[in-house]
Amino acid sequence: MQARAIFEAAVEAERRTGKAVGLEVMVPLIATKAEFDLVKGRIDATAHSVARETGKKLVYQVGTMIELPRACLMAGEIAKTASSFPSAPTT
């Protein structure tokens, strides 16, 4: 539902401004590559559905935040599928 809202909003923003919106969808609290791949698959399917319904090409990336200790240990595997890992803010 959230991915659909993001993609539909991007289509509407492009319609209103005439400029394509580049999206980066971030998936929180991922622990393993299999878990990320499952969620990414649903996001990709939603993007394809919205693109088909609207006739607009969606440009997007799907990344994740490495927040869990398990994800830190599995980051190398998760990176094979994830488009990005945002860096944590420094203090």
Side-chain angles (χ1 to χ4, degrees):
M1 188 180 331
Q2 291 174 337
R4 176 168 280 283
I6 290 168
F7 295 130
E8 288 177 352
V11 169
E12 180 63 16
E14 181 179 349
R15 186 189 67 75
R16 290 183 184 189
T17 66
K19 296 179 184 176
V21 177
L23 299 170
E24 186 171 328
V25 179
M26 299 305 294
V27 180
L29 300 172
I30 293 297
T32 66
K33 181 181 182 303
E35 184 178 28
F36 179 78
D37 290 346
L38 178 70
V39 175
K40 183 179 182 305
R42 303 257 337 227
I43 292 168
D44 290 341
T46 301
H48 292 305
S49 178
V50 171
R52 187 176 55 251
E53 291 166 12
T54 63
K56 294 286 185 180
K57 182 178 182 202
L58 294 165
V59 177
Y60 67 98
Q61 296 180 348
V62 182
T64 187
M65 296 157 271
I66 302 299
E67 302 166 293
L68 304 175
R70 179 68 178 164
C72 292
L73 297 173
M74 302 302 297
E77 286 297 309
I78 296 168
K80 292 177 181 176
T81 308
S83 298
S84 64
F85 294 158
S87 59
T90 58
T91 56

